[in-house]
Amino acid sequence: MHERFKALVLRLLKVPAEPQAPAGSPGSVQVFRAAPNFYKLKLFLWAIRQVFGFVGIIIFLTIWHTTVGKKVPTGVNLIIDVSELIGVVIFLVQIPFTYMLVRLDYEMRWYIVTDRSLRIRTGIWNVRESTLTFANIQQITVGQGPLQRLLGIYDLEVKTAGGGGGGGGHYGHAGHGASMHQGFFHGIDNAPEVRAMMLERLRHLRDTGLGDLDEAHHEEAGAPQTSTALLDVARELLQETRTLRQVMG
């Protein structure tokens, strides 16, 4: 049942089954997924929302039928009763549907790391995919809230220099500004080890000078544009000088 529902949702929303690995050596590709306890946390939060929704419906029905409903004409009361029935049916129908979406949101999280870059893809309705290169990474931090500490899971955050770490691929959706500057490995259970691995690859990349080469490449790429602009200004100045001579002569 779950696999059929998953295949149907992915086909309808045109979500690829899994992302391609980012730039890097083929042998350096490592794939990380959210831990099972992250799914338990998402499921717990979903259950709380369902309980609050159920309690809200009960409170509304109780207040309506004990106070307000007695003052409403019979015809209107009948319409209200039908609306209440429809509301209860919608609430019951959404329970298995939203549960499956929580499961898919957990399963469709991809954190891929190579020796040169990393790629993160999350989401079902709003698919967000971002690629960051190690040459632009400035900070890698590990965070853990109270519930995460209880479940033994972490959030790993990667920040880049001014969002220059790579373009985010979005399947038919607008990108979020934060995704251009940072990436998150949500709900992993080995964040300290992943951070240590990333720092080691970052040190290796900078020791080989590849980061400096990238910067030099950008500088060289910008040089012709600067030279062209100065040449245009010089030409305009020469033309103005010639015009002034003609006027003075």
Side-chain angles (χ1 to χ4, degrees):
M1 176 65 180
H2 169 69
E3 291 302 323
R4 289 200 297 269
F5 179 82
K6 178 179 178 179
L8 177 63
V9 170
L10 296 183
R11 185 167 61 252
L12 290 176
L13 298 180
K14 298 181 179 180
V15 180
E18 58 184 79
Q20 296 293 322
S25 304
S28 67
V29 178
Q30 290 184 262
V31 180
F32 301 95
R33 308 300 297 272
N37 279 348
F38 178 72
Y39 170 63
K40 294 178 182 178
L41 176 60
K42 300 281 287 186
L43 197 60
F44 173 71
L45 297 176
W46 169 83
I48 289 179
R49 290 193 295 269
Q50 301 306 313
V51 170
F52 273 100
F54 177 75
V55 171
I57 291 175
I58 295 301
I59 292 175
F60 172 79
L61 294 179
T62 301
I63 293 176
W64 176 265
H65 287 287
T66 56
T67 57
V68 181
K70 295 179 179 180
K71 303 176 183 179
V72 176
T74 305
V76 176
N77 241 328
L78 179 60
I79 296 175
I80 297 299
D81 289 341
V82 173
S83 300
E84 291 172 353
L85 179 61
I86 293 174
V88 171
V89 170
I90 291 175
F91 175 78
L92 294 176
V93 169
Q94 66 82 35
I95 290 178
F97 182 75
T98 54
Y99 163 75
M100 296 296 286
L101 290 181
V102 170
R103 177 71 178 270
L104 285 181
D105 179 76
Y106 161 70
E107 292 183 354
M108 299 304 294
R109 289 178 176 270
W110 300 85
Y111 313 128
I112 307 176
V113 182
T114 69
D115 57 349
R116 294 295 305 274
S117 55
L118 61 92
R119 177 163 292 162
I120 301 170
R121 198 179 84 185
T122 60
I124 299 297
W125 296 105
N126 184 18
V127 179
R128 296 178 295 275
E129 183 173 304
S130 59
T131 304
L132 311 175
T133 60
F134 278 106
N136 293 313
I137 291 177
Q138 289 190 328
Q139 187 177 11
I140 305 173
T141 56
V142 173
Q144 192 179 47
L147 285 177
Q148 292 174 315
R149 193 175 301 113
L150 182 65
L151 295 171
I153 57 178
Y154 308 81
D155 286 337
L156 184 143
E157 179 184 5
V158 180
K159 291 185 178 180
T160 64
H170 301 272
Y171 298 95
H173 302 281
H176 297 276
S179 66
M180 298 298 293
H181 298 268
Q182 61 197 80
F184 289 93
F185 287 34
H186 286 299
I188 59 177
D189 56 7
N190 59 342
E193 292 82 359
V194 175
R195 180 177 182 271
M197 179 269 292
M198 286 185 177
L199 290 176
E200 180 59 31
R201 292 190 175 184
L202 185 58
R203 276 193 294 268
H204 175 72
L205 185 66
R206 289 175 177 172
D207 288 343
T208 58
L210 293 178
D212 296 335
L213 289 176
D214 289 340
E215 294 176 3
H217 173 73
H218 290 308
E219 291 176 359
E220 291 173 3
Q225 298 179 358
T226 304
S227 300
T228 302
L230 291 175
L231 184 59
D232 290 340
V233 172
R235 286 173 178 170
E236 291 180 5
L237 182 60
L238 179 60
Q239 183 62 36
E240 292 292 335
T241 302
R242 289 175 179 173
T243 302
L244 182 60
R245 283 181 179 178
Q246 293 175 357
V247 173
M248 296 297 294

